[in-house]
Amino acid sequence: MNSIRGKWALITGTTSGFGKAIADTFAQNGCNIIMVARRAEKLEALEHILKEKYGVQVLSYCFDVRNLNQCIEMANDLSEREIVPDILVNNAGLASGKDKIYEGLIGDWEKMIDTNIKGLLYMTRSILPKMVERNEGHVINIGSIAGHQVYPEGNVYNATKFAVKALNEAMNLDLAGTNIRCCSIDPGAAETEFSMVRFHGDEQKATKVYEGYQPLQAEDIADIVYYVATAPVHVNITNLVVYPTAQRNVYVWDKK
Ligand SMILES: NC(=O)c1ccc[n+]([C@@H]2O[C@H](COP(=O)([O-])OP(=O)(O)OC[C@H]3O[C@@H](n4cnc5c(N)ncnc54)[C@H](OP(=O)(O)O)[C@@H]3O)[C@@H](O)[C@H]2O)c1
């Protein structure tokens, strides 16, 4: 096992869902945490909790991963503090809307492409060179089963997660010859704020997504990310696909 105690993990999207659970699990295991998200109050509250509960070091950066300059500023600030993240978890992302492609809102498309693809790239480009310089590090990208199989009205979200899958594979190839590992963890249906965001705050639509079966919980994904991060350094888990037992692929469900 490769302990993460005393290391630094940079996790994007820590104010909710997977990112928040990953930060908690990592901190519980002695890892220092660098958090990125846009909601300042939630970031501050989590920073306080992690420090108090687990006694680890926590740094919070409140910004939008779509902003390249702020990604670079954060990376520069970390360099000034002489911190090179040992683990980068590219988790911040969203689905926005669920419409037929000929009715989709351009604003939704731009949000998804800019966050899920460009945000992940900006963050990776800002942090990965430091890992390469040190010849050490681990990038964990949160993809989705939406990046394996297209579903009706998933169109642009599917396209962004297919891109994450491609970028994860590309990173692994480009890092050949280094000790840096890359993994894409691709969950099926998980109960987080994801559906509230997708349906623009429509609680009824969001709740319906999780009815009649046991969806994945954020903690399930956090356990898996922890497993991947603590695998021995000669072990590179490049892709993990995770469904709730009641869901076998995008179309096959066991809903009561
Ligand atoms: N839930 C699922 O069923 C599911 C399944 C497969 C994959 N995923 C993927 O898992 C990842 C996490 O989703 P989740 O389910 O945990 O959703 P969530 O509960 O909505 O959390 C998303 C997190 O990302 C942050 N975020 C969103 N846009 C951002 C931006 N532009 N800049 C910085 N932070 C941003 C949000 O924080 P702020 O709003 O504070 O910025 C929040 O902390 C996403 O990439 C999603 O596509 C989810």
Side-chain angles (χ1 to χ4, degrees):
M1 186 170 150
N2 167 36
S3 172
I4 59 171
R5 186 165 298 278
K7 292 190 174 172
W8 281 98
L10 194 170
I11 306 161
T12 63
T14 50
T15 49
S16 155
F18 300 161
K20 186 176 179 187
I22 296 164
D24 189 274
T25 300
F26 275 31
Q28 193 175 0
N29 286 282
C31 189
N32 301 313
I33 307 292
I34 304 155
M35 309 195 288
V36 176
R38 295 164 300 177
R39 285 172 289 179
E41 272 178 28
K42 284 183 183 273
L43 265 184
E44 274 167 35
L46 186 61
E47 177 176 338
H48 183 72
I49 289 171
L50 297 181
K51 283 177 173 166
E52 287 290 305
K53 236 169 119 179
Y54 306 122
V56 295
Q57 298 179 67
V58 182
L59 294 173
S60 301
Y61 294 90
C62 186
F63 68 86
D64 190 319
V65 296
R66 291 174 289 181
N67 187 323
L68 175 61
N69 287 336
Q70 286 194 283
C71 293
I72 294 170
E73 271 171 35
M74 176 206 60
N76 289 342
D77 187 60
L78 290 175
S79 294
E80 274 169 32
R81 293 169 187 266
E82 298 187 351
I83 294 171
V84 177
D86 299 281
I87 304 159
L88 166 63
V89 184
N90 278 318
N91 164 74
L94 78 166
S96 193
K98 191 165 179 290
D99 303 289
K100 292 192 186 297
I101 201 157
Y102 54 85
E103 291 170 345
L105 302 178
I106 305 294
D108 281 339
W109 295 357
E110 285 175 343
K111 232 184 268 172
M112 291 187 279
I113 291 167
D114 290 350
T115 310
N116 301 357
I117 305 177
K118 290 165 71 179
L120 180 146
L121 282 170
Y122 293 164
M123 196 57 66
T124 304
R125 186 65 181 85
S126 305
I127 298 300
L128 198 49
K130 314 272 178 205
M131 290 184 174
V132 172
E133 216 171 277
R134 222 168 50 159
N135 197 20
E136 209 180 292
H138 203 159
V139 181
I140 300 176
N141 296 305
I142 304 297
S144 171
I145 58 157
H148 292 255
Q149 205 174 10
V150 176
Y151 53 84
E153 301 175 351
N155 46 65
V156 176
Y157 181 62
N158 287 124
T160 64
K161 291 299 182 177
F162 270 75
V164 173
K165 183 171 182 289
L167 290 170
N168 183 71
E169 288 174 17
M171 279 182 211
N172 260 309
L173 295 186
D174 289 346
L175 288 163
T178 75
N179 291 325
I180 300 158
R181 303 178 282 171
C182 294
C183 179
S184 152
I185 295 176
D186 301 341
E191 195 172 14
T192 62
E193 289 179 15
F194 178 83
S195 292
M196 277 294 276
V197 172
R198 165 167 252 176
F199 295 114
H200 305 131
D202 185 329
E203 206 170 336
Q204 224 178 345
K205 277 189 183 168
T207 311
K208 223 170 147 35
V209 174
Y210 307 113
E211 275 173 6
Y213 70 103
Q214 171 64 62
L216 295 168
Q217 299 299 309
E219 292 70 24
D220 301 324
I221 300 305
D223 283 348
I224 290 162
V225 175
Y226 178 67
Y227 172 77
V228 168
T230 53
V233 288
H234 68 283
V235 176
N236 186 17
I237 301 166
T238 57
N239 184 219
L240 262 176
V241 182
V242 192
Y243 287 96
T245 305
Q247 182 191 18
R248 298 301 163 119
N249 75 10
V250 158
Y251 299 104
V252 179
W253 295 80
D254 177 21
K255 287 194 185 180
K256 306 290 176 219

